[in-house]
Amino acid sequence: MGQVRAEPTRRAMLVAAGAGSLALAGCKGITALGARPKMHADVIALDHAITAEELMIARYRLALAALPAAQHHAGGTGKPKAGGPDRAVVAALLAEHKEHLVQLRARLILPPRLATASPQPSPTPAAAPAARHQILAELAAAEAAASDRLVGWLPEVPPALAQLMASIAAAEAAHVVHLGYGRLAP
Amino acid sequence: MTERGLAGPRGRTKQEVAALQAALAAEQAAIYGYGIVGAHLTGTRFAAAFADSIAHQRTRDSLTAMITARGGQPRPAAPAYRMPIAVHSAAQARSLAIVLERQVTAAYLGLVALAEPALRRFGADQMRAAAVRSARWGARPQAFPGLPASSLRR
């Protein structure tokens, strides 16, 4: 239930199809290009969701690396802080994104040959901004956008995967609050 | 896409009405519960409880209309609901609000699993809204709001 069979594959196939076509084009010209294998919409949606989580994890890692320094600059005391609440929250949310990625990847069935192939390089976000409030604001904006995108892909996927993606979208929407946006006054 | 299209139009409508009724029941319980939450709060927190109660009432009305449009009979709210937490303080009221929102989040999973894209979207939007309200009430982050642990792959 809820698994998406990549026939013949996911991203690897997209890449292979592109590379193969280019190789053929080099030998025999553009007319030799074959039709690209058709990807199912659910495979594409799941692939996008996995890529989005990988990107989010990369963002959070950059933010974590930047936060202590940012707090040092913001404090202006000259003493570097070891972490603080922002860092703890960001670390907790990063852990959740890693869980999201594990669950999304588990829904994708790859043919054996491709499952053992080298993984594609993960996407890399732009460098994290320097100021603490800017770091958190950019994470919050990325969370809101990721949540919206996930909901947009829901019509393409089987029911059980739709439930997982809707739950992740809900988690990401809540992350915006955990990052300090829209929280109730104490 | 093997999980879709198994039911005919009539069966599909029946599934839709059943999922809408489940969400409606959760909204009705939340509206009742927010009455208790609000009674133990003051100031901005009372205003927040009031606003959240209004949000649930609006969603209840939308669900009622969707059930009626599909030929269903919206089930009325119960006269009273047993709350999962006894509330005697503001802190307990906030905890109850979190529990209510978590129950609402889970109640929309059925809608998200339907084939109809508009209902999926509606269900997902309500899950997001409930998760946000829960976070605003001070809930700790949850990786998979609404999903039972048994549905996750280990």
Side-chain angles (χ1 to χ4, degrees):
Chain A
M1 283 270 289
Q3 270 185 324
V4 172
R5 190 174 293 277
E7 292 176 297
T9 172
R10 182 191 159 214
R11 193 179 327 188
M13 191 61 216
L14 287 171
V15 172
S21 299
L22 287 174
L24 278 174
C27 296
K28 299 179 184 175
I30 200 79
T31 53
L33 291 173
R36 276 192 175 197
K38 210 172 178 182
M39 300 292 289
H40 287 291
D42 54 356
V43 177
I44 294 171
L46 182 53
D47 181 54
H48 288 334
I50 289 170
T51 305
E53 279 301 337
E54 289 168 344
L55 186 59
M56 197 64 86
I57 287 168
R59 254 182 221 287
Y60 269 84
R61 284 188 173 139
L62 275 176
L64 262 184
L67 262 176
Q71 286 179 341
H72 168 69
H73 291 310
T77 59
K79 293 178 188 169
K81 291 183 182 176
D86 293 336
R87 205 175 147 74
V89 167
V90 169
L93 301 186
L94 168 61
E96 290 200 352
H97 283 294
K98 287 178 180 173
E99 287 184 58
H100 295 166
L101 185 58
V102 166
Q103 291 300 321
L104 289 169
R105 280 181 175 159
R107 309 297 166 121
L108 191 73
I109 302 172
L110 288 172
R113 186 177 59 83
L114 294 162
T116 55
S118 307
Q120 295 298 309
S122 291
T124 312
R132 172 199 160 273
H133 72 274
Q134 211 181 335
I135 291 170
L136 299 182
E138 291 207 357
L139 286 178
E143 292 277 12
S147 179
D148 286 345
R149 277 195 303 270
L150 266 181
V151 172
W153 295 323
L154 289 184
E156 311 296 340
V157 299
L161 182 55
Q163 289 177 323
L164 174 66
M165 286 169 62
S167 176
I168 293 173
E172 290 176 339
H175 285 178
V176 176
V177 180
H178 292 300
L179 287 165
Y181 294 86
R183 217 180 267 157
L184 288 173
Chain B
M1 295 305 179
T2 53
E3 294 170 57
R4 279 195 215 161
L6 297 178
R10 203 174 292 172
R12 211 172 295 145
T13 304
K14 211 173 162 184
Q15 284 178 352
E16 289 173 1
V17 169
L20 289 164
Q21 295 278 23
L24 176 62
E27 293 290 357
Q28 288 164 337
I31 292 162
Y32 180 91
Y34 266 103
I36 297 169
V37 170
H40 289 82
L41 299 174
T42 56
T44 54
R45 290 202 176 267
F46 171 80
F50 184 71
D52 286 354
S53 179
I54 296 292
H56 285 293
Q57 288 172 40
R58 287 195 178 132
T59 311
R60 172 202 60 193
D61 294 345
S62 299
L63 289 165
T64 300
M66 286 189 258
I67 292 168
T68 306
R70 285 165 177 78
Q73 184 81 34
R75 284 193 206 110
Y81 293 82
R82 189 187 302 276
M83 289 292 114
I85 295 173
V87 178
H88 305 289
S89 66
Q92 288 167 337
R94 291 198 297 272
S95 297
L96 176 58
I98 291 168
V99 172
L100 292 172
E101 295 297 354
R102 288 188 169 169
Q103 288 176 345
V104 166
T105 308
Y108 280 98
L109 281 175
L111 272 183
V112 171
L114 295 172
E116 169 59 43
L119 289 178
R120 273 192 182 191
R121 173 82 202 210
F122 181 81
D125 284 343
Q126 296 309 321
M127 285 179 74
R128 291 198 293 175
V132 166
R133 286 190 294 261
S134 177
R136 283 184 182 154
W137 284 111
R140 296 168 68 89
Q142 258 195 312
F144 301 100
L147 274 189
S150 59
S151 68
L152 301 173
R153 309 277 163 87
R154 292 295 169 203

